[in-house]
Amino acid sequence: MTVDRWRGPNQADDLAMLRADHPNLLAALAWSTETPGEAAAGARLASELRYHWIAGGFLTYRRRWLERLLDRLEAGVPERGDALWVAAWVALIQGDRTVARRYQQECARLAEDLGDRAMTGHATHWGALLALFEGDLPEAIELYGRSIGIHRSVGDLAAELTAAFQLAMAQEYAGNRRDALQTCQEVLELSSRHGELWSHAYALWVSAICHLHQDNLGEAKSAITGVMEIECDFRDGVCTALSTEVISWVATAYGHFENAAALAGIARSVWQHLGTTLAAFGPHALADGQACAARIDAELGAERAAEIRARYAGVGGPEAVRLGLDMAARAGPPDLGDHRTAVLPAAGGGLPPDRSRAAGRARGAPWTGTSSESCASSTSPRTQVVSWVASTTGQPTRGREA
């Protein structure tokens, strides 16, 4: 199964394969749910597809099938424990912390009853994420330390990397910036050794937040651009939405208020498609987003800012990545001009040829976030870049959904 090799360089290819096979996967889950005696097999399949559900952009499907299977599973079987922690993960991303707590606590009890160390690691891990998203940062940091130790001891590299970049987020918002950047660096180095890019992207995302909080705008821009370049292949809706939020924050810090408003509208569009919001990721991330929105409104006026956000409300995941990269490339220090009327790229086109991804890059190669490559479509026309004042009044072309 894909989950067995998730730690390596095939992640983007595997996600594409699973997206293409999505109808057949749903049919298999339906059969397992409706056929007596097959619920455990269905729960194993649903749990093993966890990266398809989360990184592939199918959160709602994942929650629905896991809950249906949990209703049919016996109380003490291992498959139930795995389904519980995976369901807790989904519920947390959707902002449903009450349900997530119930699943996580039952998983912890079952892991203890079964003496299953790996399951204990997952129960501890998602308890840490619950604490992070509830704003209890000391508890989150302590639990992440325990879970990473367990994941490492049982050889679960994928889970270790996931817990580590989440730990870095907790450390940053707790004010432990040096620790956060060190944790991010460790994730980047370990993931690079294995050709792993999913956790690599999230570690870059957290490091971008760290640099932004330190007013290191160049470093923040470089890191978040690296994330979006990875998303050209991955099309991870959650990562795309989070990264677009941070690009908006970077644009705001540089004074590109119109671009920042457009990016906020794009992020909102992707969140709506996923069925969640930035608020699900905890009070600290939400506070960053709210502070950015307030500054944009103050600089442009609430009505103007709302108009710009609305114009980009129909942008889907791949188009969000393209526009995010284009707007990030235009972010710069004040001496580049008046950023109150920043240059906005038009939706619906490809990037200019001189910014296309380098031909021949091996998919899954370690990523440093320093390349100038960008998303491009071989069939799209050159991007039309116009000033906001001269831009059309119509809605942007709707991108494909993440």
Side-chain angles (χ1 to χ4, degrees), residues 35-106:
T35 304
E38 293 297 326
R44 282 195 299 273
L45 175 61
S47 299
E48 289 178 346
L49 289 171
R50 51 189 172 270
Y51 296 108
H52 172 58
W53 306 130
I54 286 191
F58 297 100
L59 288 174
T60 302
Y61 284 105
R62 177 179 179 179
R63 176 102 174 253
R64 180 187 310 156
W65 287 108
L66 284 165
E67 289 180 341
R68 290 181 66 181
L69 289 160
L70 283 170
D71 287 342
R72 290 160 175 78
L73 279 171
E74 298 177 19
V77 297
E79 291 84 358
R80 183 173 183 84
D82 290 335
L84 283 165
W85 69 257
V86 173
W89 187 2
V90 176
L92 285 169
I93 293 177
Q94 292 182 318
D96 198 343
R97 294 169 196 154
T98 299
V99 170
R101 179 179 289 103
R102 186 170 74 246
Y103 289 152
Q104 183 270 334
Q105 289 176 345
E106 184 183 347

Side-chain angles (χ1 to χ4, degrees), residues 312-326:
Y312 285 79
V315 174
E319 183 78 343
V321 173
R322 184 189 68 80
L323 289 170
L325 279 166
D326 215 15

Side-chain angles (χ1 to χ4, degrees), residues 42 106-107 134 165 178 215 217 269 303 343 348:
E106 184 183 347
C107 179
E134 289 188 327
F165 75 69
R178 181 177 297 178
D215 291 326
L217 301 188
S269 175
E303 184 176 348
V343 180

Side-chain angles (χ1 to χ4, degrees), residues 15 19 62 67 101 117 140 172 177 282 307 368:
L15 286 176
R19 285 190 186 100
R62 177 179 179 179
E67 289 180 341
R101 179 179 289 103
R117 183 163 174 77
E172 169 59 22
R177 189 152 302 140
E307 174 195 347
T368 64

